[in-house]
């Protein structure tokens, strides 16, 4: 009963015991049963309780019933990337006197974690997730699915960091969701990303297509752009894909970002397009895309490091700049890597320096002993395959067939020579 929850909240807020509230009205046991919804009661008793607590019970009931609607509106604003509206609703809910002391408390906290993820506040999101996980057994079925979804999104944000210790956690969590109980098909998008991180292209494509259809049906243009970008990443893995048509699709998405004001995502699209040009050894085009992406990144982030490395790598492979200019970029990368404590990019930029100085033996020694074991440790499939191929070919060239066989086993038997 709503009345019982409201009475309990205001009683505790007033510092009254059940005996104090029930004095002259009913027994403490009866107060307890009313608060827990375990007994019938007359309107007169609720009116007397309300008078003691100095509240308008009907007004409080109406407000309480509106909470569910407000939570649903908040969730929709977050999903639709309506940042300003999501912030307004958050402030309204935070002013609610009993939002965290009602049956909606877990739902509210999970959406609050989503809100923090929207703003890349991973630390606060993690704190809330841990808080809710301790009460997992008491969550409703919907709340359990929402918990898995929020937790999966948190792991996706962690997996974006190249130093992430395990890029498979997101998928493991998201696969627990029962879509029939949950009903939020947005989660297909996050499932697609999780499969993309483990290089499962068919599954990533399938769920990205499902999410794209959902976003189109719900007029969620921002998320539709993101879903289509995941699709492009999967179809472009085929080196025979028409690059001109692929680039055209990327540029259409970039124009869509400009049209709806989704400027933050342009850098990622330029970065992904640069990746496609790089894979096709069109290094000048890759360099131009990475340069655009680099200008849209904050120097104090790992994203800047990733794009700087990609830009440098394109220039090295395409022999597009002087050795002096490239060494300057490599040294900048090493410095920023140290500032951000990114051991992964520190390794990558050191490899670039060895390559620029033509120190081949040092390059492969460092790759074998330091860099490649780290790629395996964090399960970074793209780097494992790219540098695994280089190491594999080096072993074959130097006649070290045992190491070549061992390397193939480390990568689950995938044929590196055809990557």
């Amino acid at each position: 009963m709503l009345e019982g929850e409201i009475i309990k909240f205001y009683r505790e807020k007033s510092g009254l015991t059940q005996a104090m509230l029930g004095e002259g009205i009913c027994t403490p046991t009866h107060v307890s049963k009313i608060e827990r919804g375990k007994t019938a009661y007359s309107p007169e008793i609720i009116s007397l309780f309300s008078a003691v607590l100095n509240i308008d019970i009907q007004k409080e009931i109406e407000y309480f019933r509106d909470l569910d609607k407000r939570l649903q509106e908040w969730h929709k604003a977050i999903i639709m990337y309506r940042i300003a509206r999501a912030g307004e609703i958050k402030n309204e809910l935070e002013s609610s006197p009993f939002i965290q002391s009602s049956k909606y408390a877990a739902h509210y906290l999970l959406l609050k974690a989503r809100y923090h993820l929207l703003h890349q506040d991973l630390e606060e999101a993690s704190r809330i997730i841990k808080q809710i996980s301790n009460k997992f057994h008491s969550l409703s079925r919907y709340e359990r699915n929402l918990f898995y979804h929020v937790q999966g999104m948190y792991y996706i944000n962690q997996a974006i960091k190249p130093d992430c210790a395990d890029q498979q956690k997101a998928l493991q969590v998201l696969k627990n969701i029962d879509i029939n109980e949950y009903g939020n098909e947005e989660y297909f998008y996050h499932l697609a990303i999780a499969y993309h991180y483990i290089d499962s292209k068919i599954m990533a494509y399938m769920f990205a297509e499902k999410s794209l259809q959902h976003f189109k049906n719900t007029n969620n243009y921002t998320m539709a752009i993101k879903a289509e970008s995941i699709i492009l990443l999967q179809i472009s893995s085929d080196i025979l894909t028409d690059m001109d048509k692929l680039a055209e699709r990327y540029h259409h998405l970039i124009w869509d970002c400009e049209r709806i004001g989704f400027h933050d995502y342009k850098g990622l699209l330029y970065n992904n397009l640069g990746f496609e040009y790089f894979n096709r050894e069109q290094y000048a085009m890759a360099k131009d895309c990475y340069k655009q992406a680099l200008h849209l990144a904050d120097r104090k982030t790992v994203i800047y490091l990733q794009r700087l490395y990609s830009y440098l790598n394109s220039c090295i492979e395409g022999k597009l700049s002087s050795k002096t200019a490239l060494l300057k970029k490599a040294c900048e990368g090493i410095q920023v890597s140290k500032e951000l404590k990114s051991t992964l990019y520190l390794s990558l930029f050191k490899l670039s320096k060895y390559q620029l100085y033509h120190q081949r033996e040092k390059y492969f020694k460092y790759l074998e002993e330091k860099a490649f074991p780290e790629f395996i440790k964090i399960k970074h499939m793209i780097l494992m395959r790219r540098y695994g191929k280089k190491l594999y070919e080096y072993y074959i060239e130097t006649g070290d067939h045992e190491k070549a066989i061992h390397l193939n086993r480390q990568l689950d038997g995938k044929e590196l020579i055809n990557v």
Side-chain angles (χ1 to χ4, degrees):
M1 298 287 183
L2 291 181
E3 291 91 338
E5 285 196 56
I6 294 167
I7 293 298
K8 179 181 179 182
F9 172 80
Y10 281 106
R11 175 183 63 75
E12 292 178 344
K13 185 178 180 182
S14 301
L16 300 177
T17 63
Q18 292 173 337
M20 292 166 68
L21 177 62
E23 187 175 355
I25 301 174
C26 63
T27 66
T29 300
H30 198 55
V31 173
S32 175
K33 288 181 178 180
I34 290 172
E35 289 182 347
R36 291 181 290 122
K38 297 295 185 181
T39 187
Y41 48 81
S42 66
E44 289 77 18
I45 286 182
I46 298 299
S47 295
L48 290 170
F49 286 163
S50 300
V52 173
L53 297 170
N54 193 30
I55 60 172
D56 182 335
I57 192 66
Q58 289 306 316
K59 184 178 179 181
E60 296 297 337
I61 289 172
E62 289 174 14
Y63 183 81
F64 195 96
R65 282 175 176 160
D66 190 51
L67 278 179
D68 184 53
K69 188 186 299 181
R70 301 299 283 165
L71 288 170
Q72 290 180 37
E73 186 182 352
W74 192 24
H75 199 180
K76 184 176 180 180
I78 292 171
I79 292 171
M80 298 292 288
Y81 262 75
R82 294 171 181 163
I83 309 295
R85 184 57 183 147
E88 290 172 4
I89 299 173
K90 173 180 176 289
N91 293 335
E92 291 172 12
L93 288 168
E94 284 182 339
S95 66
S96 170
F98 41 67
I99 186 67
Q100 294 197 57
S101 303
S102 69
K103 66 179 181 180
Y104 297 116
H107 192 176
Y108 164 73
L109 287 174
L110 286 168
L111 293 185
K112 190 174 181 180
R114 274 214 67 167
Y115 180 84
H116 286 299
L117 288 173
L118 183 67
H119 290 275
Q120 294 298 301
D121 186 352
L122 302 189
E123 186 175 340
E124 184 60 20
S126 176
R127 185 192 66 77
I128 295 173
I129 290 169
K130 288 177 182 176
Q131 179 183 348
I132 296 296
S133 66
N134 294 328
K135 304 174 183 177
F136 183 81
H137 65 282
S138 63
L139 299 180
S140 68
R141 289 184 176 181
Y142 173 82
E143 288 168 346
R144 289 186 182 190
N145 286 296
L146 178 58
F147 173 81
Y148 287 135
H149 194 181
V150 172
Q151 191 179 38
M153 285 186 282
Y154 170 76
Y155 286 134
I156 283 172
N157 277 272
Q158 289 288 4
I160 290 171
K161 301 176 182 178
D163 303 69
C164 175
D166 188 351
Q167 294 193 329
Q168 298 189 35
K169 279 187 176 181
L171 180 60
Q172 292 166 356
V173 169
L174 291 171
K175 286 172 74 174
N176 290 321
I177 292 175
D178 185 332
I179 190 60
N180 294 319
E181 292 178 346
Y182 188 39
N184 179 13
E185 294 184 1
E186 175 215 16
Y187 115 97
F188 291 142
Y189 168 75
H190 298 105
L191 202 53
I193 295 178
Y195 275 114
H196 173 66
Y197 281 153
I198 65 167
D199 207 30
S200 179
K201 297 186 181 300
I202 294 175
M203 296 299 287
Y205 181 90
M206 181 182 74
F207 283 108
E209 276 279 15
K210 282 188 173 186
S211 69
L212 178 60
Q213 190 58 52
H214 168 69
F215 295 138
K216 285 181 176 179
N217 292 340
T218 55
N219 299 320
N220 192 339
Y221 305 116
T222 299
M223 290 303 296
I225 290 172
K226 298 179 78 170
E228 189 165 353
S229 71
I230 297 297
I231 291 171
L232 291 183
L233 284 174
Q234 312 317 312
I235 64 175
S236 62
S237 61
D238 184 353
I239 206 70
L240 298 177
T241 300
D242 188 315
M243 189 60 212
D244 289 338
K245 290 183 179 179
L246 186 64
E248 184 180 358
R249 289 182 68 175
Y250 267 106
H251 283 298
H252 277 305
L253 289 181
I254 290 168
W255 294 330
D256 285 341
C257 285
E258 292 175 350
R259 180 173 55 84
I260 68 173
F262 193 22
H263 302 297
D264 291 346
Y265 206 66
K266 284 170 58 179
L268 179 61
L269 291 170
Y270 273 120
N271 179 78
N272 290 354
L273 181 54
F275 178 78
E276 302 306 340
Y277 279 125
F278 184 90
N279 280 349
R280 289 161 178 78
E281 299 181 2
Q282 298 182 38
Y283 300 120
M285 297 295 289
K287 173 192 172 185
D288 290 343
C289 289
Y290 284 134
K291 187 176 181 179
Q292 292 275 10
L294 193 57
H295 286 323
L296 294 168
D298 182 349
R299 190 180 185 276
K300 297 179 181 179
T301 64
V302 174
I303 290 175
Y304 179 87
L305 273 178
Q306 181 262 320
R307 294 177 186 176
L308 177 62
Y309 171 72
S310 297
Y311 173 82
L312 174 62
N313 209 23
S314 296
C315 292
I316 292 174
E317 295 297 329
K319 300 179 174 60
L320 300 173
S321 296
S322 68
K323 181 178 177 180
T324 302
L326 295 179
L327 280 170
K328 184 177 179 181
K329 289 293 184 184
C331 289
E332 179 192 355
I334 289 171
Q335 179 60 38
V336 177
S337 297
K338 289 178 179 177
E339 291 172 5
L340 298 179
K341 299 179 181 178
S342 174
T343 57
L344 175 62
Y345 278 107
L346 186 59
S347 294
L348 289 171
F349 282 110
K350 282 186 176 180
L351 284 172
S352 296
K353 277 191 71 175
Y354 289 136
Q355 188 174 358
L356 287 166
Y357 278 119
H358 303 291
Q359 296 173 321
R360 194 164 185 268
E361 293 302 318
K362 284 187 177 181
Y363 178 94
F364 281 106
K365 181 179 174 61
Y366 188 82
L367 176 58
E368 178 184 52
E369 296 179 358
K370 175 66 177 177
F372 198 74
E374 184 167 10
F375 304 158
I376 291 176
K377 180 181 177 182
I378 65 174
K379 301 177 183 177
H380 198 304
M381 290 304 301
I382 292 174
L383 292 178
M384 285 165 64
R385 296 180 70 151
R386 178 182 295 173
Y387 285 93
K389 178 181 178 181
K390 291 186 177 187
L391 201 51
Y392 181 89
E393 291 175 344
Y394 176 73
Y395 289 150
I396 295 298
E397 179 190 329
T398 56
D400 203 334
H401 298 292
E402 281 191 25
K403 285 186 177 180
I405 293 171
H406 177 67
L407 177 60
N408 234 10
R409 287 173 179 166
Q410 282 182 297
L411 294 171
D412 298 324
K414 293 180 180 178
E415 290 295 335
L416 295 173
I417 201 68
N418 294 323
V419 174

